[in-house]
């Protein structure tokens, strides 16, 4: 800090801007979140544990986390394939497909929710043929899974894309000229150097899916213990006047989000220490 | 940038508050009453203007009955609540927003219109559903919302229970019946309207348990050629109550107009509006006039079978109550 | 040092882009395909796959994107126009729809303006000075990204609800926050909190402090320095952050749903109205509003692409 001050003391406004930043941050983020934690302190540890370990809560958390994880896995694989196609190949419509990758991010979740429901309902464009095959998507856990895949797509693609673009072509050429076949080069040389980005994209998609509400509730069946996601359970608890339950579940989810951010940070650091090694 | 945005904000704020009625009421209601209150509000505003010369603008908020009660408790500035069941208004009263004797302040337990629970089935009734027993048959898929959040769902549940208890004679058998019924439920929406959309628009399920008025509405909206209403011989008398939210009305100075609003329900015009929207009216004349619109159903009350809402809520829908137990197994 | 969607950390590599910079959220995209064309002739054999595999990969990518991204978008417009153009326009001209559009614009204007001012101030403090706990501060700014929208609404119910911490005081003083515009705006500000700041921080870090220091040493005041030197340098990045902030502000559903109270014609934003109309069997109207929001998303993407080009052009050619 002392060195920094010495080096940058010529610019004005540090005290003012930092003061405003902290004030605004406190008003919008810190005080509200502190209120959430304060509310849970009204519960005894036993009560808190009772709420969290009830079957309904556990199932909701399991559904949210489990399906988010599965959806993030799909996004990881499909995201990699999409990135590969977009970066390495030239095909008609490539730029267009590159642009639409961001749609799930820009489209309001409620719109995504009604659209996916319409699409996958029994009478929907995709729901009808799938129903013929005996697969029900809307109002089942598969519906939640689909919605979570939808919202997670941009995260993997957009984290991996710049890394793949930046990848030094010489590594591949070297590997190939040393006699490695293409399969080997891809899986032993290219993919390992993408791992930090892949994991980060995975974690981002995972984090986003856990908290997702708007696009999921329309298509989920909302059956307790079967297709009821944790954020919906919070809303239900609220409408049952059970604020303590709602906040307890919220705290668990919040802690989970913290952990995921933390993990992402570690991945970033790992990635940064790895890259110069090339 | 800011200089350009500020006048825009000012303009929008002005535009959104530019209504000029003498009184403004907020009626916080449950899900299926949207069309009913659209009709009623218009009629009341006209009648009130004629009578007093004052204009009144009524705003509506709709949602699951429990969620709506929660919003009022959290500070939604409702002058009037018109919810699906007495327990939800009791919950508001418990916080002191509504006087505890609210149900005695208006005639008929403060329920100016009633309804019952019927079955909506697809055209031709392919699964042959005639009575409650048909709902627990294997392979019949039943749509009903979540009793934890939806008032209508609680009436559905209690109607099924009341039927079974009357037919099979014991609470244990009723419990088994209701548990079997919920085995056949593939989706629990949070509100009655959500369930109707699931059944009607998304084509899920063989039978929808619905408010009678909601079933009629769905039939009107989507055509009689697509859905049929089956009225079981025995069902529950559903009494959706209304009340003035004293604390808000007193603060806003709208008590007189809010009370006039609710009293209007008991007039001939009010009762006619209820009947026209497929709610069962009390007024004998109007009831006679609309006799043909409503099937003859033997109706039991929540007092008869469950000893009132407070007890029903505690036994069945509270945390760890019978509904939770059913879903635990 | 947090790495939220698309956010670029303070300690990233040369150009300020973390390896995981996700352009979809805020980090200006380093689209450098053109800067480094695929090697031609000889190396091509070494750096690509056999034709059939290439075909399969492209087919998989295109199919997946078509099913999961394009089709939902098409459904929105197909449903909105299913009863013809006049039904569509009629749905949008409803007073309730207009009220929702107005409220959405109002809330977006409030939250984008506030987050714009805050974002610039925070980015100045964070990128132009060194101080202890900087990474922690950035993590806090990022936090709203990982918080479920429902929780973002819930915290304000706990604070400002009649049963909440400040509820009794607010009631006594007749101040309405929850179920009114201030509550909706607060929830939206919370959700969109990081966008502008996180778009600017990496950009301003990358640009360093030399130009500003020169201006100051020539006698310019702090504000003059900011408006004459810094702002021209960050204008595209700033617009980028504002664009994404606006898209999210207009589209927020979960958080707003919890604090809105759903008063018709008064506290329903466009995304809430989509749900309400959907539940009233007014599918055309519902999808008509949804189509406006979808168009907003499409416009956002187009402008974003343009801004990314601008940002790339303004960038110093990389030296690696």
């Amino acid at each position: 800090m002392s060195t920094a001050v010495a080096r940058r003391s010529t610019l004005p406004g540090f005290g003012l801007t930092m003061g405003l930043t902290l004030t605004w941050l406190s008003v919008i983020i810190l005080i509200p979140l502190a209120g959430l934690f304060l509310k849970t302190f009204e519960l005894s540890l036993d009560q808190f544990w009772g709420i969290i370990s009830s079957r309904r809560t556990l199932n909701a958390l399991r559904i949210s986390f489990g399906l988010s994880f599965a959806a993030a896995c799909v996004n990881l694989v499909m995201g990699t394939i999409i990135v590969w196609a977009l970066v390495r190949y030239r095909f008609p419509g490539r730029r267009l497909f590159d642009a639409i990758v961001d749609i799930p991010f820009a489209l309001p979740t409620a719109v995504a929710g009604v659209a996916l429901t319409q699409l996958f309902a029994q009478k929907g464009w995709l729901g009808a043929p799938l129903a013929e095959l005996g697969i029900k998507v809307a109002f089942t856990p598969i519906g939640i899974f689909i919605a979570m895949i939808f919202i997670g797509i941009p995260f993997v693609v957009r984290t991996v894309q710049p890394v793949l673009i930046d990848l030094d072509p010489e590594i591949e050429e070297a590997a190939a000229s040393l006699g490695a076949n293409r399969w080997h080069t891809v899986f032993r040389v290219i993919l390992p150097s993408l791992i930090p980005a892949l994991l980060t994209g995975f974690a981002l998609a995972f984090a986003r899916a856990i908290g997702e509400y708007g696009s999921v509730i329309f298509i989920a069946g909302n059956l307790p213990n079967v297709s009821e996601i944790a954020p919906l359970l919070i809303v239900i608890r609220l409408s049952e006047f059970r604020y303590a339950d709602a906040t307890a579940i919220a705290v668990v989810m919040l802690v989970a989000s913290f952990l995921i951010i933390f993990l992402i940070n570690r991945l970033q650091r790992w990635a940064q220490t790895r890259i110069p090694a090339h | 940038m800011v200089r350009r945005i500020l006048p825009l904000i000012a303009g929008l704020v002005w535009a959104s508050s530019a209504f000029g009625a003498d009184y403004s009421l907020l009626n916080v209601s449950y899900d299926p009453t949207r069309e009913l209150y659209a009709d009623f509000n218009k009629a009341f505003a006209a009648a009130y203007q004629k009578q007093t010369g004052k204009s009144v603008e009524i705003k509506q908020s709709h949602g699951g009955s429990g969620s709506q009660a929660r919003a009022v408790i959290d500070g939604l500035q409702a002058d009037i609540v018109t919810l699906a069941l007495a327990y939800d208004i009791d919950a508001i009263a418990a916080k002191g927003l509504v006087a505890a004797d609210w149900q005695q302040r208006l005639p008929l337990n403060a329920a100016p219109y009633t309804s019952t629970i019927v079955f909506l089935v697809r055209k031709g009734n392919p699964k042959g559903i005639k009575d409650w027993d048909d709902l627990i048959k294997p392979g019949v898929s039943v749509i009903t919302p979540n009793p934890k959040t939806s008032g209508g769902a609680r009436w559905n549940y209690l109607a099924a229970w009341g039927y079974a208890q009357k037919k099979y004679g014991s609470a244990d058998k009723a419990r088994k019946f209701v548990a079997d019924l919920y085995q056949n439920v593939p989706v629990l929406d949070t509100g009655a309207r959500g369930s109707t959309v699931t059944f009607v628009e998304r084509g899920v399920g063989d039978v929808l348990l619905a408010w009678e008025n909601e079933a009629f509405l769905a039939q009107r909206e989507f055509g009689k050629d697509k859905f049929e209403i089956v009225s079981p011989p025995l069902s529950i008398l559903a009494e959706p109550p209304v009340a003035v939210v004293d604390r808000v009305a007193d603060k806003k100075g709208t008590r007189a107009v809010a009370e006039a609003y609710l009293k209007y329900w008991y007039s001939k015009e009010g009762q006619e509006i209820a009947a026209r929207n497929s709610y069962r009216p009390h007024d004998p004349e109007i009831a006679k006039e609309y006799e043909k619109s409503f099937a003859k159903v033997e109706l039991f009350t929540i007092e008869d079978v469950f000893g009132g809402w407070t007890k029903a809520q505690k036994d069945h829908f509270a945390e760890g109550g019978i509904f939770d137990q059913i879903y635990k197994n | 040092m947090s790495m939220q969607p698309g956010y670029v950390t303070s300690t990233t590599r040369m150009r300020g882009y973390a390896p995981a910079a996700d352009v979809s959220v805020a980090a200006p995209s380093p689209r450098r395909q053109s800067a480094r064309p695929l090697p031609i002739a000889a190396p091509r054999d070494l750096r690509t796959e056999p034709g059939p595999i290439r075909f399969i990969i492209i087919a998989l990518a295109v199919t997946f994107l078509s099913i999961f991204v394009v089709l939902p978008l098409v459904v929105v417009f197909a449903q909105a126009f299913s009863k013809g153009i006049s039904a569509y326009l009629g749905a949008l001209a409803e007073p309730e729809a207009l009220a929702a559009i107005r409220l959405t614009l109002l809330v977006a204007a409030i939250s984008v303006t506030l987050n714009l001012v805050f974002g610039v101030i925070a980015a100045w403090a964070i990128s132009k000075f060194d101080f202890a706990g900087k990474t922690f501060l950035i993590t806090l700014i990022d936090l709203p990204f990982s918080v479920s929208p429902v929780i973002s609404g819930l915290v304000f119910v706990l604070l400002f609800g009649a049963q909440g911490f400040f509820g009794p005081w607010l009631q006594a003083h007749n101040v309405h926050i929850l179920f009114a515009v201030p509550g909706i705006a607060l929830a939206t500000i919370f959700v969109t909190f990081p966008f502008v700041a996180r778009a600017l921080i990496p950009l301003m870090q990358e640009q360093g402090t030399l130009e500003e220091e020169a201006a100051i040493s020539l006698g310019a005041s702090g504000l003059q320095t900011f408006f004459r030197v810094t702002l021209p340098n960050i204008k595209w990045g700033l617009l980028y952050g504002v664009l994404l902030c606006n898209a999210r502000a207009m589209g927020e559903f979960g958080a707003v749903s919890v604090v809105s109270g759903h008063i018709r014609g008064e506290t329903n934003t466009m995304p809430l109205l989509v749900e309400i109309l959907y539940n009233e069997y007014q599918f055309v109207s519902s999808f008509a509003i949804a189509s406006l929001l979808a168009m907003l998303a499409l416009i956002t993407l187009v402008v974003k692409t343009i801004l990314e080009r601008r940002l790339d052009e303004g960038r110093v050619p990389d030296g690696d």
Side-chain angles (χ1 to χ4, degrees):
Chain A
M1 180 150 182
S2 55
T3 57
V5 170
R7 202 179 65 215
R8 293 187 174 177
S9 55
T10 48
L11 282 188
F14 178 70
L16 182 70
T17 54
M18 185 50 82
L20 284 172
T21 302
L22 291 178
T23 310
W24 184 239
L25 186 77
S26 305
V27 169
I28 299 295
I29 308 287
L30 296 184
I31 293 174
L33 288 181
L36 184 71
F37 280 93
L38 217 60
K39 188 82 188 169
T40 49
F41 288 144
E42 290 173 11
L43 294 166
S44 74
L45 204 63
D46 276 355
Q47 284 171 316
F48 182 80
W49 185 245
I51 292 167
I52 295 311
S53 61
S54 80
R55 179 162 173 262
R56 180 109 175 256
T57 313
L58 281 182
N59 275 326
L61 290 171
R62 185 179 53 83
I63 291 160
S64 274
F65 282 84
L67 287 175
S68 300
F69 187 84
C73 288
V74 172
N75 280 329
L76 183 66
V77 174
M78 289 313 299
T80 311
I81 290 174
I82 291 168
V83 169
W84 199 270
L86 291 178
V87 172
R88 287 301 175 94
Y89 305 143
R90 295 291 173 271
F91 56 94
R94 186 187 62 87
R95 295 187 76 91
L96 187 70
F97 278 101
D98 193 2
I100 65 165
V101 165
D102 283 330
I103 282 176
F105 178 79
L107 198 66
T109 53
V111 178
V114 292
L116 287 172
T117 309
Q118 198 74 21
L119 199 56
F120 285 99
Q122 261 165 4
K123 295 179 187 166
W125 294 350
L126 294 178
L130 285 171
E132 296 270 303
L133 299 171
I135 303 168
K136 277 190 192 162
V137 175
F139 321 119
T140 68
I142 305 175
I144 304 177
F145 178 59
I146 299 266
M148 285 173 167
I149 292 176
F150 173 82
I151 54 167
I153 294 169
F155 294 94
V156 175
V157 174
R158 293 306 189 216
T159 40
V160 179
Q161 198 172 24
V163 185
L164 187 60
I165 291 170
D166 268 0
L167 203 67
D168 193 342
E170 283 167 23
I171 307 171
E172 279 172 68
E173 283 152 20
S177 59
L178 288 172
N181 67 22
R182 187 61 193 159
W183 190 256
H184 254 83
T185 313
V186 169
F187 282 89
R188 294 283 169 79
V189 179
I190 302 179
L191 279 185
S193 54
L194 295 181
I195 281 177
L198 284 169
L199 288 179
T200 306
F202 176 85
L204 289 171
F206 182 51
R208 175 72 203 267
I210 292 169
E212 183 56 22
Y213 177 70
S215 59
V216 174
I217 52 153
F218 288 94
I219 200 168
N222 304 333
L223 268 184
N225 303 322
V226 178
S227 53
E228 184 178 75
I229 55 169
L232 177 66
L233 189 58
I234 293 176
V235 172
I236 288 177
R237 290 309 189 209
L238 261 186
S239 48
E240 293 170 5
F241 320 122
R242 291 168 55 183
Y243 295 85
D245 292 50
T247 46
I249 302 167
V251 162
V252 171
M253 296 191 65
L254 209 56
V255 170
S257 330
F258 278 133
L259 289 179
I260 295 172
I261 298 186
F262 180 73
L263 184 77
I264 293 171
N265 285 337
R266 299 306 299 248
L267 283 171
Q268 289 306 302
R269 239 172 261 175
W270 180 40
Q272 281 152 24
T273 52
R274 270 170 63 106
I275 294 213
H278 280 306
Chain B
M1 182 116 196
V2 176
R3 226 175 293 154
R4 232 177 276 167
I5 286 171
L6 276 179
L8 182 73
I9 294 175
L12 282 161
V13 169
W14 179 80
S16 60
S17 59
F19 300 100
D22 294 324
Y23 294 108
S24 174
L25 293 181
L26 173 60
N27 175 4
V28 171
S29 195
Y30 61 111
D31 251 334
T33 57
R34 297 161 201 250
E35 293 74 15
L36 175 71
Y37 276 104
D39 226 7
F40 182 78
N41 291 347
K42 215 182 285 167
F44 171 75
Y48 195 76
Q49 172 108 42
K50 212 166 143 196
Q51 204 186 359
T52 64
K54 303 261 185 190
S55 59
V56 51
E57 177 208 18
I58 300 125
K59 294 198 165 121
Q60 285 294 138
S61 167
H62 295 275
S65 191
S67 323
Q68 293 292 79
R70 194 274 300 171
V72 172
I73 289 171
D74 272 335
L76 182 56
Q77 295 292 297
D79 306 86
I80 297 149
V81 281
T82 55
L83 298 178
L85 39 89
Y87 178 81
D88 286 332
I89 300 186
D90 282 338
I92 300 171
K95 299 283 180 191
L97 291 149
V98 175
D101 66 341
W102 64 272
Q103 236 172 343
Q104 273 75 57
R105 293 192 301 196
L106 288 164
L108 304 161
N109 280 330
Y113 43 83
T114 65
S115 190
T116 186
I117 302 304
V118 300
F119 310 150
L120 190 70
V121 298
R122 302 194 186 282
K123 186 188 181 241
N125 197 357
K127 298 267 165 131
I129 286 150
K130 294 275 174 251
D131 202 350
W132 291 98
D133 283 317
D134 299 320
L135 303 182
I136 60 166
K137 286 185 181 153
V140 172
S141 164
V142 181
I143 304 298
T144 176
N146 184 348
K148 292 278 189 170
T149 46
S150 156
R154 273 177 261 181
W155 288 111
N156 292 348
Y157 171 104
L158 294 174
W161 184 288
Y163 162 81
Q165 188 163 323
K166 276 182 181 282
K167 175 154 186 203
Y168 301 110
S170 83
D172 279 348
K173 293 204 170 112
R175 182 192 171 124
K176 167 123 192 5
F177 182 85
V178 170
D180 288 347
L181 175 65
Y182 277 89
Q183 282 286 315
N184 280 350
V185 176
V187 45
L188 281 180
D189 288 290
T190 48
R193 196 40 77 81
S195 280
T196 314
V197 170
T198 297
F199 179 77
V200 166
E201 185 63 16
R202 300 170 186 165
V204 179
D206 302 309
V207 52
L208 171 74
L209 299 189
W211 295 94
E212 188 176 38
N213 51 282
E214 182 78 354
F216 275 112
L217 179 73
Q219 215 183 23
R220 273 199 297 273
E221 291 280 334
F222 294 95
K224 285 198 171 157
D225 52 330
K226 289 196 183 125
F227 300 100
E228 290 173 18
I229 293 172
V230 174
S231 297
L234 180 70
S235 193
I236 197 163
L237 176 70
E239 297 174 293
V242 300
V244 170
V245 183
D246 300 272
R247 197 183 282 173
V248 176
D250 286 342
K251 195 150 85 183
K252 282 169 65 179
T254 51
R255 173 178 285 280
V257 57
E259 281 174 353
Y261 180 78
L262 293 186
K263 289 224 176 75
Y264 189 65
W265 265 130
Y266 296 89
S267 68
K268 285 261 183 287
E269 295 80 11
Q271 290 286 298
E272 158 97 39
I273 290 167
R276 203 161 58 215
N277 284 282
S278 308
Y279 290 79
R280 296 185 174 219
H282 284 291
D283 185 277
E285 250 175 65
I286 307 286
K288 186 126 190 71
E289 194 182 320
Y290 280 84
E291 203 176 8
K292 287 208 184 89
S293 326
F294 300 102
K296 287 228 181 334
V297 177
E298 188 194 337
L299 299 172
F300 56 86
T301 69
I302 188 157
E303 299 293 333
D304 289 347
V305 180
F306 302 94
W309 258 114
T310 311
K311 190 165 176 335
Q313 177 75 24
K314 188 165 152 278
D315 292 348
H316 293 274
F317 307 120
E319 182 68 2
I322 295 172
F323 180 75
D324 277 349
Q325 294 165 23
I326 286 173
Y327 258 93
K328 267 187 187 127
N329 299 328
Chain C
M1 180 204 81
S2 144
M3 186 61 214
Q4 270 309 296
Y7 288 94
V8 173
T9 65
S10 50
T11 51
T12 43
R13 296 184 295 154
M14 266 222 29
R15 280 180 312 275
Y17 293 100
D22 170 7
V23 298
S24 69
V25 185
S29 152
R31 279 171 204 257
R32 264 169 270 115
Q33 280 110 317
S34 52
R36 183 184 287 133
L38 281 180
I40 35 162
R44 164 158 283 187
D45 307 334
L46 301 176
R47 288 196 68 217
T48 193
E49 293 74 35
I53 292 183
R54 247 186 313 187
F55 178 80
I56 291 171
I57 288 179
I58 292 173
L60 273 174
V62 167
T63 315
F64 185 83
L65 285 175
S66 303
I67 289 178
F68 278 93
V69 182
V70 179
L71 265 185
L73 204 62
V74 174
V75 162
V76 171
F77 289 97
Q79 292 286 329
F81 288 101
S82 61
K83 299 233 166 94
I85 278 227
S86 59
Y88 176 82
L89 293 177
L92 295 181
E94 286 284 321
E96 222 174 301
L98 292 176
I101 294 170
R102 209 159 46 210
L103 178 64
T104 303
L105 291 174
L106 171 67
V107 169
I110 295 173
S111 44
V112 171
T113 309
L114 289 176
N115 277 333
L116 168 69
V117 173
F118 162 79
V120 171
I121 291 173
W124 181 270
I126 288 170
S127 61
K128 300 291 180 192
F129 303 94
D130 275 335
F131 52 89
K134 184 189 272 195
T135 55
F136 182 65
L137 184 62
I138 296 177
T139 308
L140 288 180
I141 292 175
D142 276 345
L143 210 61
F145 265 120
S146 61
V147 175
S148 174
V150 168
I151 298 176
S152 318
L154 172 70
V155 292
F156 292 105
V157 172
L158 294 178
L159 279 190
F160 300 120
Q163 317 297 315
F165 294 105
F166 303 125
W169 188 90
L170 292 169
Q171 294 255 308
H173 294 78
N174 218 4
V175 179
H176 301 301
I177 292 186
L178 215 54
F179 311 121
V181 174
I184 299 173
L186 269 176
T188 310
I189 292 170
F190 183 101
V191 168
T192 55
F193 192 82
F195 283 90
V196 177
R198 286 312 244 135
L200 288 184
I201 291 170
L203 194 65
M204 285 166 70
Q205 272 173 342
E206 182 187 338
Q207 286 166 352
T209 54
L210 285 179
E211 287 183 51
E212 282 86 356
E213 277 161 12
I216 296 284
S217 68
L218 289 173
S221 75
L223 278 180
Q224 279 174 328
T225 309
F226 173 77
F227 282 105
R228 302 271 173 77
V229 179
T230 312
L231 196 57
N233 280 336
I234 60 167
K235 60 182 179 206
W236 299 121
L238 190 65
L239 265 179
Y240 191 92
V242 165
L243 177 80
L244 295 176
C245 181
N246 179 61
R248 181 73 198 265
M250 289 193 175
E252 181 51 32
F253 174 76
V256 171
S257 173
V258 176
V259 299
S260 139
H262 303 100
I263 305 171
R264 313 196 63 145
E266 198 170 299
T267 61
N268 284 327
T269 61
M270 289 164 75
L272 296 184
L273 194 61
V274 168
E275 186 200 22
I276 287 172
L277 293 170
Y278 193 79
N279 282 339
E280 280 179 10
Y281 315 129
Q282 301 188 36
F283 299 105
V284 170
S285 308
S286 172
F287 278 100
I289 304 283
S291 75
L292 284 189
L293 290 168
M295 274 187 257
L296 169 77
L298 291 176
I299 292 169
T300 301
L301 291 190
V302 171
V303 177
K304 186 169 91 68
T305 313
I306 297 170
L307 287 179
E308 278 163 4
R309 293 241 175 88
R310 293 277 185 173
L311 279 163
D312 272 358
E313 282 163 17
R315 201 164 296 287
V316 203
D318 46 31
D320 64 343

